[in-house]
Amino acid sequence: MKKILALVLALTLVMGLLSFASAEDAKKKVGIAMPTKALERWNSDGDFLKKAFEDAGYEVKMTYSDNKADQQVNDIQGLLADGVELLIITAVDGQALNTVMDEAQEKGVIVVAYDRLIMHDAVSYYVSYDNYTVGTLQGQYVEEALGLKDAGDKKFNIEITGGDPADNNAPFFYQGAFDVLKPYIDAGTVIIPSGQVAFDQVGTASWDEANALDRAQAILGSYYGDGQQLDAWVCSNDSTSRGVVQALSQDYKGDNAVIVTGQDADDVNLVNIYEGKQTMTVYKNLANEVAITLAVAKAALEGEINGQELADSFDIKVAFDTTSYETTPGNPCPSFLLVPYVITKDTMQLLADTGLYAWNADKTYVQKIQ
Ligand code: BGC
């Protein structure tokens, strides 16, 4: 009898230990909510994020929401129902996630806003590039390429195409570029013939190439139909740049090379840059953005983060910023901001150096390694 009792006891102990071990070993679940597959970069971001988190031992659930804010709410609700402990979200619309962010907060789920901020205090951390600097680099490129500093009496015509007003990044890109150009606009050195200057006049719904094309065609038809020269078109990113480049090649009557800016180093745009249809793009290394996100997420899942210490510990240059981005008025979000840089036809090797791009067979331009 004693023997049986001892056996039962031993068995209970072993089973208890086993179940404890399996609970310990159970992978933590992380939810990743990407906006859309229709814009080139989010495919890469999603793939990189998924792989990085899986390699680090997390179970990953990932959704794409077809650029629809409602769908993203449903998708995130699904991730919460699935029991994720941490959410990484690139919002379709940073203002439209209130209810589901309330739910995340109630459940104690950690929210990391990836690349785009969400206007809700459930967001614990924001990982992105310095969005204002992206715009500054575009503005400065135009300033230099046109020689605005030493323009004398010369006058230049410029147009601007901004991003999606639902994306919190878009006003930062716009403002960064605009602040460089404003003194020249005020001085009359830079003219915007369409008169469409304010952020709400130049936006592109959904960052959609076709929307950018339509607006560019309308502007070229109305203000440049008589052969008036256009010197530069400031585009906030590569999808809008593609629309503008198409409009220019179809409808622009002048024979000067119009300076066109962009952002992201998308494949088609790198070909356009090689062909001289686009002039520059601002590059943001996604693998680095993902590496920082993983480190922030890991630290957050383990407890409190010392943001500055964490930022200082990376090989990658990243600023810990506690003032620039507010989730609600007066409530700044601890942000990790990486540093973007300019790529032109002459500096594509810098992309190859990242290991994420390779030269084509003719060694004329680089493309993403799939
Ligand atoms: C990103 C850009 C991107 C744009 C459209 C922005 O939030 O920061 O890199 O070009 O969305 O996808």
Side-chain angles (χ1 to χ4, degrees):
M1 185 64 189
K2 262 190 179 171
K3 267 189 184 167
I4 295 175
L5 211 69
L7 200 68
V8 170
L9 256 171
L11 265 176
T12 325
L13 202 71
V14 168
M15 282 175 65
L17 276 175
L18 273 179
S19 69
F20 177 72
S22 66
E24 276 289 288
D25 286 353
K27 290 182 174 178
K28 288 192 170 169
K29 270 192 205 169
V30 168
I32 301 175
M34 288 284 106
T36 174
K37 289 196 169 223
L39 292 160
E40 185 173 315
R41 69 162 290 185
W42 308 115
N43 296 281
S44 313
D45 287 281
D47 290 349
F48 284 150
L49 281 165
K50 188 162 183 295
K51 181 164 188 323
F53 277 84
E54 281 175 352
D55 287 353
Y58 297 97
E59 184 181 338
V60 174
K61 305 268 170 193
M62 183 159 73
T63 57
Y64 278 90
S65 306
D66 202 16
N67 246 343
K68 297 190 180 96
D70 292 356
Q71 188 175 323
Q72 194 167 42
V73 170
N74 289 335
D75 288 342
I76 296 171
Q77 266 160 353
L79 294 172
L80 288 173
D82 236 330
V84 299
E85 290 180 49
L86 181 135
L87 279 166
I88 293 170
I89 303 174
T90 303
V92 171
D93 181 338
Q95 312 264 10
L97 295 179
N98 283 336
T99 42
V100 74
M101 285 297 95
D102 288 344
E103 277 175 45
Q105 215 164 20
E106 277 157 27
K107 290 194 153 151
V109 170
I110 300 163
V111 179
V112 178
Y114 180 79
D115 203 80
R116 300 175 176 173
L117 193 60
I118 302 162
M119 303 302 118
H120 193 290
D121 293 343
V123 178
S124 305
Y125 300 99
Y126 178 41
V127 180
S128 193
Y129 272 80
D130 182 334
N131 296 302
Y132 183 83
T133 297
V134 170
T136 306
L137 292 173
Q138 294 166 340
Q140 285 172 342
Y141 189 91
V142 169
E143 178 186 45
E144 213 165 287
L146 295 180
L148 295 179
K149 279 186 185 153
D150 310 305
D153 290 340
K154 278 195 234 150
K155 303 211 177 301
F156 298 92
N157 291 330
I158 289 183
E159 296 294 339
I160 303 171
T161 291
D164 182 355
D167 177 351
N168 187 64
N169 291 352
F172 284 87
F173 300 145
Y174 165 86
Q175 204 60 48
F178 186 74
D179 287 349
V180 175
L181 298 174
K182 186 170 185 301
Y184 302 107
I185 297 172
D186 291 347
T189 309
V190 164
I191 297 159
I192 303 191
S194 70
Q196 296 172 23
V197 188
F199 175 69
D200 59 6
Q201 295 174 300
V202 302
T204 308
S206 306
W207 290 100
D208 189 58
E209 182 176 332
N211 293 340
L213 166 68
D214 287 350
R215 177 169 165 268
Q217 282 186 312
I219 288 176
L220 290 174
S222 304
Y223 304 97
Y224 298 84
D226 58 357
Q228 160 145 258
Q229 176 160 320
L230 171 65
D231 296 293
W233 202 309
V234 181
C235 297
S236 277
N237 86 330
D238 278 357
S239 59
T240 55
S241 171
R242 289 196 294 273
V244 165
V245 160
Q246 197 185 325
L248 287 172
S249 61
Q250 286 169 7
D251 297 333
Y252 180 53
K253 299 208 162 37
D255 50 17
N256 61 309
V258 181
I259 290 156
V260 179
T261 68
Q263 164 186 200
D264 288 338
D266 283 354
D267 279 343
V268 172
N269 299 72
L270 291 167
V271 179
N272 284 349
I273 290 176
Y274 164 66
E275 291 176 348
K277 296 175 183 165
Q278 180 176 332
T279 327
M280 62 87 87
T281 188
V282 176
Y283 181 57
K284 306 189 298 191
N285 183 317
L286 305 186
N288 288 348
E289 197 170 357
V290 166
I292 304 292
T293 304
L294 174 64
V296 169
K298 253 181 161 175
L301 281 166
E302 277 158 23
E304 279 292 294
I305 290 189
N306 180 330
Q308 191 56 57
E309 242 174 49
L310 190 65
D312 291 344
S313 73
F314 296 122
D315 290 342
I316 303 160
K317 210 173 162 209
V318 56
F320 181 61
D321 179 316
T322 52
T323 54
S324 301
Y325 291 93
E326 295 185 343
T327 43
T328 52
N331 191 17
C333 184
S335 305
F336 296 84
L337 303 176
L338 293 101
V339 185
Y341 52 91
V342 170
I343 295 292
T344 63
K345 191 175 177 170
D346 298 330
T347 59
M348 284 193 198
Q349 179 58 39
L350 294 176
L351 293 179
D353 290 344
T354 65
L356 303 172
Y357 291 76
W359 287 97
N360 66 342
D362 300 342
K363 300 236 175 308
T364 43
Y365 53 80
V366 299
Q367 295 281 273
K368 276 186 191 141
I369 296 168
Q370 297 304 324

